Amino acid sequence: MVVALILIGLAGLLAAERTGVYDGPIAAVVVGGGLALVGLAIIVSGLRGRTAGGLTALAIVGIVVAGPAAVADDARWGDWDRWDNGSGPVQSIDTAVTSRAVAERGYSFGVGDATVDLTGVPLTDDTLTVPISGGLGDVTVIVPEGAAVVADVSSGAGNVTWKVDGKNERSDGVGHDRTFTSEAMSGREGAEIELTVEVGVGSITIEED
């Protein structure tokens, strides 16, 4: 019932925004209102002598995506021209990057998926730093085979997979905060590519091609 009410509220705000009746933020209102509704439902469950059950997980997800939703406050869901370089509140990113400048600007999203292919980016003696962040969704980063890569990854909940140098390391659960390095690394200062990948809820996969 709680999830249904949240979805009904989201649909109502989207319809109002499309018709010009509502001109305010959508993501933040839905997340904030949803958290309030979840909190009320937990209280009701407690008064009835029942455990919170799945409501607790729903509350955790809401708290994790609250930050990206607040950042996206001034977004208009139908006006994607306002967002450059694959940055926006709700969308999917699938790009093959060939410019160092574009890669260094990074990518961010609130809800969606991102696939960033870095195999076409020229590598130099200077470290290429690529930040990628998302609230809710899956991130896949493809790096050149044999490149010196260091990746700092963090995820509130989900899984993290490192598929470089023939390895297939995966960890599941909550509270991921790890650093991966490729075999070509002789030291952090010698990295050709430095990744910073953050996701609230979802998966992070770094693989080579």
Side-chain angles (χ1 to χ4, degrees):
M1 290 178 61
V2 171
V3 174
L5 289 173
I6 292 174
L7 292 176
I8 290 172
L10 172 60
L13 284 176
L14 286 173
E17 195 256 358
R18 290 290 185 181
T19 58
V21 175
Y22 179 73
D23 192 39
I26 293 180
V29 171
V30 171
V31 173
L35 283 173
L37 187 60
V38 170
L40 180 61
I42 291 175
I43 292 174
V44 172
S45 295
L47 293 176
R48 296 179 62 189
R50 302 178 60 181
T51 61
L55 291 172
T56 301
L58 196 59
I60 293 173
V61 172
I63 291 171
V64 169
V65 302
V71 172
D73 265 358
D74 63 346
R76 296 295 178 266
W77 287 47
D79 187 10
W80 301 119
D81 290 340
R82 298 181 55 194
W83 300 89
D84 297 326
N85 194 38
S87 299
V90 180
Q91 65 168 309
S92 291
I93 301 167
D94 189 352
T95 181
V97 193
T98 57
S99 166
R100 291 178 64 90
V102 171
E104 289 179 334
R105 288 204 296 268
Y107 300 87
S108 64
F109 61 92
V111 178
D113 298 320
T115 299
V116 181
D117 186 345
L118 299 175
T119 58
V121 179
L123 299 180
T124 67
D125 292 335
D126 296 326
T127 300
L128 175 68
T129 302
V130 185
I132 303 172
S133 62
L136 177 63
D138 301 330
V139 173
T140 300
V141 184
I142 305 172
V143 298
E145 183 176 1
V149 180
V150 57
D152 298 314
V153 302
S154 61
S155 171
N159 62 74
V160 174
T161 305
W162 173 257
K163 302 171 67 175
V164 176
D165 298 323
K167 299 178 181 178
N168 191 356
E169 301 178 19
R170 172 174 170 142
S171 57
D172 301 273
V174 297
H176 299 289
D177 191 0
R178 299 189 58 181
T179 296
F180 296 95
T181 58
S182 68
E183 293 178 354
M185 287 282 294
S186 59
R188 194 177 186 98
E189 65 281 356
E192 294 176 294
I193 299 176
E194 181 176 338
L195 301 173
T196 302
V197 187
E198 302 177 349
V199 172
V201 178
S203 69
I204 299 173
T205 301
I206 301 173
E207 59 186 37
E208 66 179 358
D209 185 9

